[in-house]
Amino acid sequence: MALDIFKITGPTTLAGTVKISGSKNAALPIMASAILAPGKTVLSGIPNLSDIEVMCLLMESLGCKTQTADGKITIDSTVIDKPFGDYEIVRKMRAGICILGPLLARCGKAEVSMPGGCAIGYRPVDIHLRGLKELGAKIELKNGYIVANANGGLKGANIFLGGAFGSSVLATANTLCAAVMAKGKTVIEYAACEPEITDLANCLVKMGAKISGIGSPQLTIHGVKNLNPVEYTVIPDRIEAGTFLAAAAITKGKLKLTNCRLEHLMAVVDKLRSMNVVVEESPDGCEVASNGQIKATDITTLPYPGFPTDLQAQFMAALCLAKGNSVITEKIFPDRFMHVAELSRMAADLRKEGPHVIVCGVEKLISAPVMASDLRASAALVLAAIAAHGETIINRVYHIDRGYDRIEEKLNAVGANIQRLAT
Ligand code: UD1
């Protein structure tokens, strides 16, 4: 693994146009859903990310063939002869677990490694297993693997998918992918409503699945015998877009985002407006402009349509430079605060109390050597570094390459000064 670092010189003010890439979190489960439709599925709008490469590796390890060119991936799932998600691949990316439901539906059995630990905290898989068990799968845990069997076929059921922290995005994806080929009718209550689940459901419908209630917490599915491969374009990445919105706010800049769907960012836009940032819809995207000093605000992360946990760190960075004190509450991953210590090294004034962080606005951030700990925390450090005075070194930027398509190129094109250096 290349251990690149970023050298970022600030402060700079961002201005210009940024094209948002396709959504990572929509692409990953949709790639896995190609397992359900023997033949060639062609997906467009696929971002160029290391997580996507890992997913291709995983699909190939099952017997599929994959081909990538110009933002398109062709997945040939004619042959799936090894329904086995190897630890060596799945440990690199939690989303590897989204092959479980599709494999079970297609092959009647699956063995997938339990995903490993993760810097954002404990992430159990009980809801995934509950959904599949309700559909009739027998599940055992053996040597760190989930061993699932549905020899007699999957059967439709009424399934409640809520957990201690609300709905689960990938557990909904797994249960939905298994249910579309289960015998009879399935009703999923407390389904995740994230746009990435809507995108997966729309792709499955194009393949021939019968799903109603798409976008709501109640999905009704009538099982079908076969699905057909399709051509499908994934939605734009709302988290990448939200990161650039936060970048405009923290640098007091002015950006135009294209290939961006503002309707997926309502909670984020609402917060930006209360922070004194102007956001307006434009054809194919939006325009965001600073209106002077950012104002403090309170943010609580929640399942969609609430404020996304995947933007909590980036907005914390922006609020470090606000006038006044803000409170950030994390309700999805209560330990997702690795960035607090690193932002504090850059002269942010932060106090963590359980799942809350009190952000006292400061006049300026100051450069420092910092460590990227996970994908979104690294994005927060990049934003802080662009706004900070001096030269910041960010170590371990491979975390950011997992989920941002050419972030330094996109930011440099609108005025940032970021150098990627190999160590
Ligand atoms: C997905 C996203 C991730 C985002 C998260 C929440 C992908 C590839 N990843 O992750 O970027 O941060 O949604 O929006 O799409 N939980 C359980 N039991 C389970 C599953 C989840 O208790 O079986 C809990 C989690 O610990 C967490 C909450 O449910 O507290 C939501 O997690 P979940 O929606 O499952 O996250 P992912 O789907 O893994």
Side-chain angles (χ1 to χ4, degrees):
M1 185 188 304
L3 283 181
D4 291 356
I5 63 171
F6 278 165
K7 185 165 99 180
I8 303 180
T9 311
T12 47
T13 300
L14 302 186
T17 302
V18 180
K19 182 170 181 211
I20 300 303
S21 299
S23 162
K24 165 179 91 74
N25 287 354
L28 294 171
I30 289 176
M31 286 172 73
S33 77
I35 293 171
L36 295 166
K40 281 189 183 172
T41 290
V42 182
L43 302 173
S44 304
I46 300 293
N48 182 14
L49 305 171
S50 61
D51 269 10
I52 298 288
E53 283 169 26
V54 173
M55 195 65 188
C56 285
L57 268 180
L58 187 57
M59 299 293 286
E60 284 180 6
S61 74
L62 309 174
C64 296
K65 295 195 177 97
T66 69
Q67 219 181 355
T68 314
D70 305 331
K72 274 194 186 183
I73 286 192
T74 305
I75 301 170
D76 185 345
S77 63
T78 309
V79 176
I80 294 207
D81 51 9
K82 206 174 161 216
F84 180 76
D86 196 322
Y87 172 69
E88 285 309 320
I89 307 178
V90 176
R91 74 181 170 84
K92 293 186 185 152
M93 183 187 66
R94 258 193 74 85
I97 195 159
C98 51
I99 59 172
L100 184 59
L103 281 179
L104 199 54
R106 165 108 183 242
C107 310
K109 60 180 183 178
E111 235 178 275
V112 179
S113 168
M114 294 271 281
C118 167
I120 70 175
Y122 176 49
R123 296 175 76 177
V125 291
D126 56 307
I127 308 176
H128 297 248
L129 304 190
R130 190 184 341 139
L132 299 175
K133 277 184 193 162
E134 296 272 6
L135 290 168
K138 300 261 175 304
I139 296 188
E140 284 178 291
L141 300 182
K142 256 194 213 162
N143 304 328
Y145 279 78
I146 301 162
V147 182
N149 267 292
N151 295 332
L154 295 168
K155 275 206 197 95
N158 289 338
I159 306 173
F160 177 77
L161 265 196
F165 295 91
S167 51
S168 162
V169 176
L170 291 182
T172 303
N174 260 328
T175 310
L176 176 62
C177 284
V180 287
M181 286 179 69
K183 202 166 172 199
K185 176 179 163 188
T186 297
V187 178
I188 303 177
E189 294 283 1
Y190 222 141
C193 301
E194 270 68 7
E196 294 76 17
I197 292 295
T198 297
D199 210 30
L200 168 66
N202 286 338
C203 179
L204 290 168
V205 166
K206 200 166 179 197
M207 289 173 170
K210 296 207 167 105
I211 308 169
S212 60
I214 294 174
S216 83
Q218 187 191 64
L219 296 173
T220 303
I221 302 124
H222 290 273
V224 294
K225 287 210 170 115
N226 304 300
L227 293 178
N228 302 309
V230 290
E231 292 194 7
Y232 192 78
T233 303
V234 302
I235 52 171
D237 196 311
R238 67 191 167 102
I239 305 301
E240 187 196 8
T243 302
F244 279 97
L245 293 174
I250 195 173
T251 66
K252 296 202 176 92
K254 187 171 178 191
L255 292 177
K256 182 172 175 181
L257 307 187
T258 60
N259 193 37
C260 159
R261 288 177 55 181
L262 216 49
E263 74 265 27
H264 293 161
L265 285 156
M266 299 286 279
V268 176
V269 170
D270 180 62
K271 282 298 154 195
L272 282 164
R273 288 184 178 146
S274 66
M275 288 161 69
N276 195 30
V277 176
V278 181
V279 187
E280 272 166 16
E281 195 154 10
S282 59
D284 192 32
C286 68
E287 290 185 27
V288 54
S290 140
N291 200 10
Q293 173 76 50
I294 308 175
K295 282 195 200 148
T297 191
D298 294 338
I299 293 179
T300 301
T301 64
L302 288 168
Y304 189 83
F307 191 94
T309 173
D310 284 352
L311 287 171
Q312 178 254 109
Q314 301 88 316
F315 274 72
M316 185 183 297
L319 288 171
C320 287
L321 290 177
K323 186 170 168 54
N325 301 338
S326 308
V327 179
I328 296 186
T329 303
E330 178 53 70
K331 287 229 174 156
I332 309 286
F333 296 112
D335 297 323
R336 189 176 204 175
F337 286 123
M338 303 290 282
H339 42 287
V340 168
E342 301 305 300
L343 288 171
S344 302
R345 290 175 51 73
M346 299 176 72
D349 185 355
L350 304 170
R351 200 167 73 233
K352 178 175 169 327
E353 291 186 2
H356 310 284
V357 172
I358 298 161
V359 184
C360 301
V362 292
E363 273 191 13
K364 64 178 187 176
L365 292 169
I366 301 167
S367 62
V370 289
M371 191 76 82
S373 55
D374 65 81
L375 170 56
R376 306 303 170 185
S378 348
L381 296 179
V382 169
L383 302 193
I386 297 172
H389 291 253
E391 198 177 274
T392 295
I393 301 289
I394 304 184
N395 290 288
R396 299 193 183 172
V397 300
Y398 59 86
H399 285 293
I400 209 162
D401 295 332
R402 282 190 42 219
Y404 288 91
D405 189 351
R406 299 169 290 115
I407 192 166
E408 75 274 28
E409 270 179 46
K410 289 192 186 187
L411 285 165
N412 285 343
V414 291
N417 185 349
I418 306 177
Q419 273 177 279
R420 181 187 286 264
L421 304 170
T423 56

